[in-house]
Amino acid sequence: MAYWLFGRCRILVHHKKLPLLLGSVLNRTSSSFFSSANYPFKSPKRPHTLPRNNNNNSTSLPFFSRYESTKAEAQLELEHDVSEDDHNQVTDFPGGKVAFTSEMRFISESAQKRVPCYRVLDDNGELVKYSSYVQVSKEMAVKMYSDMATLQTMDGIFYEVQRQGRISFYLTSTGEEAVNIASAAALTPDDVVLPQYREPGVLLWRGFSLQQFAHQCFGNTNDLGKGRQMPIHYGSNEHNYFTISSPIATQLPQAVGAAYSLKMDGKSACVVTYCGDGGSSEGDFHAAMNFAAVMEAPVVFICRNNGWAISTPVEEQFRSDGMVVKGQAYGMWSIRVDGNDALAVYSAVHTAREVAIREKRPILIEALTYRVGHHSTSDDSTKYRPIDEIEHWKMSKNPVNRFRRWVERNGWWNDKDELELRSSIRKQLMHAIQEAEKAHKPPLEDMFNDVYDQLPSNLQEQEKLLRETIEKHPKDYPSDVPL
């Protein structure tokens, strides 16, 4: 029996050499957004095109479908009729037909050329020739720039407030303002956001006020989280913005589950979740990608590749060509976009959202940006990267300046508008900080409520022990927290 099976295997592998499909074929036309896999064994069920209106340009997205499942029991019947001279041998394996080859050839660890990066505006804020993008109105463009400038100013002031010892911690989005605001602008209020910790601009775009940002950072009674989160760990049910969790990448599989629930309910909305390049090295990232692809969940993964996971450079994290190729490995559409180009980010996210909802499938977006600021107020990035590198990205590649030049060329912005905006933001922020500082701290009992309807015995015991400890050592605990 074993000899007979071995003979059958020889018949299967003896055939003419077939070209090995190593990866996706990237459509390099100017109107292409997404890379797609080349599937020689199955034709698409139907064509799929999402037109984009921009100077008569359009964006054609290739249709993606799974490989067909097969009937393994039919395989042996087929093999009896196959001669050793047949040069087109395939196996009808569960998951789809696979061609055989007599050549022992390993798939290369990476392609010869890196996946190109989609962009619309060059470093001077001028439209790239033949660029294809989703049009934005004057009102949309002005709001996008205004929020980018607001986020930039807010980061600068709150960073200084932390350095003065008035709040315990802060983390900026300096250099990544375009990913924040442009991605938020491409969504609708019904879309659910599961952020990491460098996306306050998404919440700003959705209407979270500067006063609310200040309340959260100071952890007072007006903070929606009742002071139970670290500063910058924002959350808002009203704005469909899940509360930030400190552990890296835990939000990713949660986002897929939320997206699958939207799909089950037939909602015309998607989930958008964010992570950094460091997050892609976590197990949760890979579990989420596979979960999303297999379940065909309408979720858009936006991965900020800013070059550094705290102090670890990307070349020490992974050998692959960034994160964009990881989407293809799990069977989903992917695109690499210039994260410092607001128009490119907006166009890619806008299109990805439509595809995710219409086709009920996940999309991966890798945004190449750069973290100009330190990782947080607990970090000094000059210890692990050159100062001139930071200055280069801060001055020459600044996403806020780039988008401002484009808005100004359209006649939608000028120096007077800039002065008035910056002055107004600073005044609002200073007032918000003063108000947040004066507000009372939440009472001690708020550490234990809002989790269970009925407080369980273990939490009752913890609260009792905490109060007893405070009575014994009152000087070791803040006096402004009501007991």
Side-chain angles (χ1 to χ4, degrees), residues 2-51:
Y3 182 80
W4 181 85
L5 288 174
F6 178 74
R8 303 313 319 147
C9 293
R10 290 185 60 205
I11 292 176
L12 286 173
V13 300
H14 184 77
H15 66 90
K16 185 178 179 180
K17 296 178 182 179
L18 294 176
L20 182 65
L21 183 63
L22 297 179
S24 68
V25 178
L26 181 68
N27 187 339
R28 298 180 182 275
T29 63
S30 61
S31 62
S32 176
F33 277 9
F34 289 90
S35 60
S36 63
N38 185 9
Y39 304 107
F41 306 122
K42 184 181 180 209
S43 59
K45 298 176 184 176
R46 63 185 185 279
H48 175 73
T49 301
L50 288 177

Side-chain angles (χ1 to χ4, degrees), residues 170-172 197-198 309-310 371 373-377 379 381 384:
Y170 196 72
L171 184 151
T172 71
Y197 44 57
R198 218 177 290 275
I310 306 183
R371 172 171 55 81
H374 306 298
H375 177 78
S376 72
T377 49
D379 171 52
S381 63
Y384 53 80

Side-chain angles (χ1 to χ4, degrees), residues 463-483:
E463 182 178 359
K464 179 175 177 291
L465 289 173
L466 177 58
R467 292 184 182 278
E468 291 175 353
T469 304
I470 293 174
E471 285 183 15
K472 292 179 182 179
H473 309 281
K475 294 182 180 180
D476 294 335
Y477 289 85
S479 60
D480 58 347
V481 176
L483 299 179

